[in-house]
Amino acid sequence: MDQLRIKDLEVYAYHGVFPAEKELGQRFVLDLWVDYEMTRAARTGDLEASIHYGILAEQLTEWMQAEKIDLIETVAFQLVQKIFESYAFVEKVRLELKKPWAPVPLPLETCSVTIEREKKRAFIGLGTNMGDKQLQLETALEKIKDRGIRLLQTSTRIETEPWGGVEQDTFLNQVAEVETWMTPEDLLETLLAIEQEMGRVREVKWGPRVIDLDLLYMDDTICYSPSLILPHPYVAERAFVLESLNEIAPHFVDPVQRKPIRQLWEAVK
């Protein structure tokens, strides 16, 4: 991937835990790597397909000086976020934030943090069987977009029977394909926060719900932890999920099954 580099950009700002750091300020140094496809800009001279490094340097300075923050981890994270929000075609950002005047009473050159994020494609399963089902799904999609997650496409909404053995109303389901620079864990937390905002109450497992947002896949990520399993552990068993996935991404390959969605759908339908 093509890459833009800004090296050793110095910014005087007011970040730090100690009151003196916020009052007197200090020097920070930025190293930045931005990945994006440069072919169009190189061939046509289209400025809209490129990043003006001078403007970006000014933006980084302005963003850093806009507020006073305790942790440089927060500062670095917010800078990465701002870059993705400002330049939709950026695929990957790596940023090192150095603090050479850190208040450490020992001989050292600098302290720094590095944050690296890359855009990934993810699939989210949506379902509801309470209230105005169409409205619930539309609201959930709007809240997903409001979090800075790019909505690529959505499947047709289908009515399905309850899954899990609990007697309840039928569900309205669909699958959305999104693009995000969030980590899988961060994306999952975001989806859970949206569920809570919409009034989801977890009382009965597989019971009625205002909204259900399941992270099904995130590119070829395989994860097994107490908080997250990817791919979703039931994705290959649920016909209604595979039907919707097959509609919008039949050739996507399940990284565990090592089969395209269309084959998984054929096996269960």
Side-chain angles (χ1 to χ4, degrees):
M1 178 63 69
D2 306 322
Q3 191 174 80
L4 170 69
R5 175 81 190 276
I6 292 179
K7 183 179 181 181
D8 293 338
L9 172 65
E10 295 191 13
V11 179
Y12 200 89
Y14 298 80
H15 306 299
V17 174
F18 299 108
E21 295 181 286
K22 290 188 173 68
E23 181 180 347
L24 301 175
Q26 60 189 294
R27 183 168 64 98
F28 295 86
V29 181
L30 284 167
D31 271 356
L32 178 67
W33 297 258
V34 179
D35 291 12
Y36 64 95
E37 174 61 57
M38 297 181 181
T39 303
R40 178 181 166 192
R43 284 180 173 172
T44 67
D46 184 0
L47 297 179
E48 296 299 320
S50 181
I51 296 177
H52 189 306
Y53 42 81
I55 293 177
L56 178 55
E58 291 176 357
Q59 289 175 318
L60 291 167
T61 302
E62 179 183 341
W63 294 334
M64 278 201 67
Q65 294 176 336
E67 55 183 320
K68 301 177 181 181
I69 298 171
D70 288 345
L71 300 178
I72 59 172
E73 293 95 324
T74 305
V75 179
F77 182 87
Q78 290 185 357
L79 291 175
V80 170
Q81 182 178 25
K82 289 283 191 182
I83 293 169
F84 277 117
E85 290 176 349
S86 302
Y87 301 96
F89 51 82
V90 168
E91 294 295 327
K92 182 177 179 180
V93 176
R94 181 173 183 265
L95 182 143
E96 182 181 7
L97 179 58
K98 304 174 186 178
K99 191 175 181 181
W101 295 353
V104 178
L106 293 168
L108 57 80
E109 180 177 328
T110 190
C111 295
S112 73
V113 297
T114 300
I115 290 183
E116 183 174 314
R117 294 291 185 271
E118 183 175 7
K119 282 183 179 175
K120 292 182 179 293
R121 179 174 58 156
F123 294 94
I124 299 169
L126 300 89
T128 176
N129 70 340
M130 296 177 66
D132 186 333
K133 300 174 189 178
Q134 293 282 359
L135 179 60
Q136 305 288 24
L137 294 181
E138 291 168 6
T139 300
L141 290 172
E142 285 301 317
K143 287 183 176 294
I144 288 172
K145 290 190 292 184
D146 289 344
R147 296 307 203 280
I149 300 167
R150 184 185 175 199
L151 188 63
L152 300 179
Q153 59 176 333
T154 57
S155 70
T156 302
R157 293 169 183 172
I158 57 176
E159 189 172 13
T160 65
E161 292 299 319
W163 195 93
V166 179
E167 186 175 344
Q168 57 191 300
D169 193 10
T170 57
F171 278 81
L172 194 63
N173 291 96
Q174 74 178 145
V175 169
E177 181 183 5
V178 303
E179 182 183 69
T180 179
W181 59 274
M182 294 180 180
T183 63
E185 293 79 8
D186 196 15
L187 179 56
L188 177 62
E189 287 185 11
T190 299
L191 297 179
L192 293 175
I194 292 173
E195 287 184 346
Q196 188 172 16
E197 281 181 17
M198 293 183 63
R200 170 79 185 268
V201 178
R202 297 176 181 271
E203 293 179 337
V204 180
K205 187 174 183 180
W206 293 321
R209 65 214 77 167
V210 171
I211 193 67
D212 189 18
L213 301 176
D214 288 332
L215 181 53
L216 305 174
Y217 293 105
M218 197 157 188
D219 276 345
D220 58 354
T221 301
I222 298 175
C223 174
Y224 185 81
S225 72
S227 61
L228 176 63
I229 299 176
L230 278 177
H232 190 284
Y234 301 114
V235 68
E237 303 174 25
R238 294 177 174 175
F240 67 89
V241 174
L242 291 173
E243 179 180 352
S244 296
L245 281 168
N246 186 63
E247 178 188 342
I248 62 175
H251 303 294
F252 178 80
V253 177
D254 184 299
V256 173
Q257 304 289 335
R258 298 186 180 180
K259 294 179 181 179
I261 293 298
R262 60 182 176 81
Q263 288 188 13
L264 297 179
W265 165 233
E266 288 292 332
V268 303
K269 72 175 183 179

